[in-house]
Structure formats: C-alpha cells, structure tokens
Amino acid sequence: MSNDLFSPRIPEAVASRRPLADRLRPTSLSEVTGQPHLTGENGILRRMIAAGSLGSMIFWGPPGTGKTTVARLLSGEAGLAFEQISAIFSGVADLKKVFEAARLRRMDGRQTLLFVDEIHRFNRAQQDSFLPVMEDGTVILVGATTENPSFELNAALLSRARVLTFRSHDEESLQELLARAEQVEQKPLPLTAEARASLIRMADGDGRAVLTLAEEVWRAVREGEVFDTEGLTRIVQRRAPVYDKAQDGHYNLISALHKSVRGSDPDAALYYLARMFDAGEDPLYLGRRLVRMAVEDIGLADPQALVVCNAAKDAYDYLGSPEGELALAQACVYLATAPKSNGVYTAFKAAMRAAKEHGSLLPPKHILNAPTKLMKGEGYGDGYLYDHDQPDAFSGQDYFPEKLGRQTFYDPPERGFEREIRKRLDWWAKLRRERSGG
C-alpha cells in the first residue's frame, strides 16, 4: 500500500495515455489550485510545513478539490512515509497491517502519514482503532471525506484531528486548470468563449471533472473544428450536479429553500426549488417541506397557505411530472410572498414545555364532565357556563388548571390575517377582565 510520489519513470508512450487529470497532478503544494487558504503562501498547511509540525487532520470537501493530492504532497514535503487506504475496500485486517508497518518505521526513526480516503465509511469501532496510533505518534492520520465530519465521525476521533475544509473550485481556478491543460497538450481547447464557460459550469466546481471534460473535447474534435455551446452539449454528456439526496448537498439546498421562503424572496426560493428538481429530488418530498413552511413560517398570518400547499401536492399527484412541478413552484412563490408569522409555531413549543414541566395537572372541575353520581358529588361540572348562552357567546371563564394559573402562549403579530385575530383576542381579554371582576 505504500506509495512513492516519485515512483519509477514511466515510458513516455505509456505516460501520454494516462488521464489528463493524472498528468497534471501537482508536484508541490505551491502548484495546487483552488485552495489558497490551505496551500497558498500563507495557507495553513504551508505554515505547518514551515514549522516542522504536522498533526492529524480531516480533509472535508467535495470531489475533485485535491484532498488526495494534497495528502501525498504533505508527506513528501514533510519527509514522511506515505500509506494510503480506502475505507471502501479496507477492513480491520488491513488496518492492523498498516499500523504494524508504521510501528516498524517509527522504530527506525521515520514517521508515517496515513491517508484514509472516504474515512466516514468506517464504522464507529473501526474509527476508534485509529485513536491509540494517533495518540502515541505512530501515524499522522489524514482522513478525507465528502460528508460533514460532525455527523459522520466519532467525537473522540474529531477531538484528536483538525478539520480542514476544501472548497469547490471557482471559475478562476478552473480556468487556470484549463490553461495548464492547454500547455501540456500544446494546443488550445477548441471551444468558443461561450462554450468554454459552459464547460466550466458543467464541471460544477470539480477540478478533475473539468480536465476530464476537456479531454473528451480533444478526443472528439476534428481538424479545424471549434465547438460552440450546442456542439459541446452534443459531444459531452452534461454532468449531474453534485448532490446526494441523503447527505450534505440535500440538506444545504433544502435549508436554502426554506430560509429563502422565510425571508420573503420568491426569486431565490424558486432558484433553490429548481436546483433540487434538477438534481432529481423527489417532488413529493419538496411538497411535504412546503407544507412544513406553511405551518411554521406563515401560519395564521395567511391561513390559505396550508390549503394552497396541500392543493399543490394533490395537483402533483394528479398531473405527475413534469407538469406537476409547476403546482409546487406556484405554492413556493405563494409562501414566499405571503405575510410571515411563527406565532402558532412559537406558541405550540411553549405549550409543550409547560405540559412537560408541570406534569398531570387536573383541569378545573367546572369544565369536566360528570357522567356518574360520584363525579357529580365531587363537583365535576359545577358552575360551567355554556358560552353560546352568554352575551357575545363568551363566558370569560378560566380553563387552565388552578395550580398552573392562566398562561399566554399565543401572541399573534400585527401582520396579515393575524391582525384580525389580535383584535379578537384583545376584545376577549377585555371581556374576561370585566366578567371576572379583575
């Protein structure tokens, strides 16, 4: 499993057939693009190398951002032995072999940098097996993951390793990679300016992907040919957006959609809704989330919001794709443009806290039914006033348990329909004070 960054020389004819992304792999940290906060002149990793002190790290970031390459370069520049394993293909036996080899090197005075790709794929017990060799300095662990370490890695492992975030490539760094590729290939990429920009968008921040797409263009082009955007689309299949419906991409986009609706920005809300549709999200999942937004963020400020969202779900069930998505888009815009209130949401949470904190308090006896003589004898139902028989159909009686006393959970804001609800509550509060003599 040991890998030497400067492995035996490969014959030129064979090397030329290696993938472009592999041929352009950086040979020093200074050549790494897209991660200036880590590998730039004042980057964290460059500072660690200069100080002669590396600690265990978790590299967290999307695919194609250089995590494996940087780990290899770190071992070379720090003079460490390099071991690489993948959590997908390795088990306990493989880990034991790697740890033993690292111990033998340590006895000879050489430390090992152990790079673990997809480290989040290891289970909790396997992750715990790294702790002793990290603590005694047998290995410097560098784990790579595309998933949020806070959710996927043991707290004990995280406490011993620094999390470094790798960012998706921006347009500038992808352009730089294409320029390097043109130098290596000694020919320009046969694309119009618009097609070149389109290719960069297809890469979706993935450096490896942009080089693979460029390589496909060079393979397909004929002498003297230059592809426009339409031509590029014909020869290069569009890459799906980086989006895993069970992981961070999913949660990031649904969070962005929810907050855009809450922030009354219909344009941003539609954009994130479209992103999720484009990534293949289940439309009924989005319908359920819109219902949630209706009750959490609009509530009684516009009681029709919930009705609209349920109707959109029914419309999607009836129409199917792709026509049904428009109903969900309409509901999304309705929510974003509706008056906002979390009054009921806040009131419900407060009522739940009170219910849990105060236990099983008996309601006041005057609002309890008395189906038996014993219960009548205990005073159940005594003094109850039937509201419909009272002036204004309002008795003003207290319905809270005596030991709890009257509580106020719901405080409607002066927005939307809740402005009318506020007027009613204020009117009833006035009558309650008058009729209770308070």
Side-chain angles (χ1 to χ4, degrees):
M1 286 183 221
S2 294
N3 288 284
D4 185 350
L5 186 60
F6 307 102
S7 50
R9 184 175 180 81
I10 300 171
E12 190 172 337
V14 176
S16 65
R17 293 197 296 270
R18 287 162 49 213
L20 182 59
D22 189 47
R23 283 183 279 146
L24 281 176
R25 195 180 294 276
T27 58
S28 68
L29 287 175
S30 61
E31 293 181 6
V32 174
T33 60
Q35 313 300 328
H37 61 298
L38 301 177
T39 63
E41 186 176 349
N42 292 310
I44 296 168
L45 295 176
R46 295 280 289 278
R47 288 177 179 272
M48 287 183 181
I49 293 293
S53 177
L54 284 181
S56 291
M57 293 168 278
I58 302 297
F59 289 174
W60 174 32
T65 51
K67 298 186 292 294
T68 303
T69 296
V70 168
R72 285 176 172 274
L73 295 173
L74 274 177
S75 69
E77 297 196 15
L80 304 173
F82 183 77
E83 288 272 7
Q84 177 175 349
I85 60 173
S86 169
I88 299 175
F89 303 112
S90 305
V92 174
D94 300 298
L95 291 176
K96 287 181 178 178
K97 290 178 182 177
V98 170
F99 296 159
E100 184 58 32
R103 288 190 183 97
L104 292 174
R105 285 194 204 94
R106 191 180 177 211
M107 291 173 64
D108 290 335
R110 192 178 186 200
Q111 203 167 16
T112 300
L113 187 151
L114 173 58
F115 177 70
V116 183
D117 199 15
E118 304 283 350
I119 191 171
H120 61 278
R121 299 292 188 95
F122 276 137
N123 61 36
R124 300 288 174 175
Q126 289 169 320
Q127 290 180 30
D128 283 341
S129 70
F130 290 103
L131 303 181
V133 293
M134 292 168 67
E135 288 177 347
D136 67 12
T138 299
V139 302
I140 293 174
L141 175 68
V142 177
T145 178
T146 56
E147 310 301 337
N148 191 324
S150 301
F151 301 143
E152 303 296 336
L153 299 182
N154 285 0
L157 184 61
L158 285 176
S159 70
R160 293 164 174 80
R162 181 173 184 173
V163 176
L164 299 182
T165 302
F166 280 65
R167 301 168 184 164
S168 293
H169 285 272
D170 58 19
E171 182 180 352
E172 182 179 352
S173 62
L174 291 178
Q175 289 281 19
E176 185 178 340
L177 287 175
L178 289 181
R180 284 191 192 177
E182 289 171 322
Q183 289 177 351
V184 168
E185 293 291 328
Q186 297 182 341
K187 55 187 174 183
L189 198 58
L191 298 173
T192 65
E194 293 80 7
R196 192 182 183 99
S198 181
L199 183 140
I200 285 175
R201 287 194 296 273
M202 289 179 185
D204 203 16
D206 185 327
R208 188 186 303 109
V210 81
L211 294 175
T212 301
L213 291 169
E215 200 165 24
E216 290 180 27
V217 170
W218 271 311
R219 287 189 184 123
V221 70
R222 294 171 180 168
E223 188 175 351
E225 195 172 19
V226 175
F227 295 117
D228 59 13
T229 302
E230 185 178 348
L232 173 67
T233 304
R234 280 198 306 269
I235 63 166
V236 178
Q237 293 297 310
R238 177 183 175 276
R239 270 182 100 248
V242 176
Y243 181 89
D244 184 335
K245 288 191 283 185
Q247 304 297 340
D248 281 352
H250 164 86
Y251 294 113
N252 288 343
L253 289 186
I254 196 61
S255 174
L257 172 61
H258 196 146
K259 290 179 174 64
S260 298
V261 166
R262 182 182 293 153
S264 300
D265 190 334
D267 299 308
L270 272 178
Y271 167 71
Y272 290 116
L273 184 74
R275 284 273 303 273
M276 298 187 83
F277 279 142
D278 185 51
E281 184 59 77
D282 178 7
L284 289 178
Y285 166 79
L286 292 170
R288 290 192 294 273
R289 298 312 303 173
L290 291 172
V291 168
R292 170 68 182 190
M293 295 172 208
V295 295
E296 179 178 340
D297 294 296
I298 287 85
L300 292 178
D302 184 348
Q304 285 299 306
L306 181 57
V307 177
V308 167
C309 288
N310 277 317
K313 184 267 294 181
D314 290 342
Y316 179 83
D317 280 341
Y318 188 52
L319 293 173
S321 293
E323 293 88 352
E325 278 89 338
L326 182 59
L328 297 175
Q330 180 173 313
C332 178
V333 171
Y334 187 98
L335 296 181
T337 56
K340 304 298 186 295
S341 169
N342 69 344
V344 174
Y345 177 63
T346 302
F348 177 67
K349 289 197 296 183
M352 284 296 295
R353 281 196 302 272
K356 291 177 180 179
E357 290 172 3
H358 296 284
S360 303
L361 298 177
L362 187 70
K365 288 183 178 180
H366 67 269
I367 64 171
L368 298 179
N369 291 330
T372 68
K373 288 184 179 180
L374 176 62
M375 296 172 78
K376 287 180 181 178
E378 289 292 322
Y380 284 30
D382 285 354
Y384 174 64
L385 300 176
Y386 186 57
D387 285 87
H388 294 291
D389 291 340
Q390 307 305 310
D392 305 302
F394 181 76
S395 67
Q397 288 188 306
D398 188 8
Y399 302 109
F400 276 95
E402 292 179 8
K403 291 185 178 180
L404 181 60
R406 178 151 194 85
Q407 304 288 312
T408 299
F409 300 128
Y410 180 46
D411 184 25
E414 290 279 350
R415 289 191 299 276
F417 183 72
E418 281 183 300
R419 184 180 289 112
E420 298 303 315
I421 296 177
R422 164 66 71 184
K423 292 178 183 177
R424 298 176 197 173
L425 291 178
D426 289 344
W427 169 246
W428 286 327
K430 176 176 176 292
L431 292 180
R432 186 178 289 111
R433 288 192 298 271
E434 293 173 352
R435 293 173 188 182
S436 65

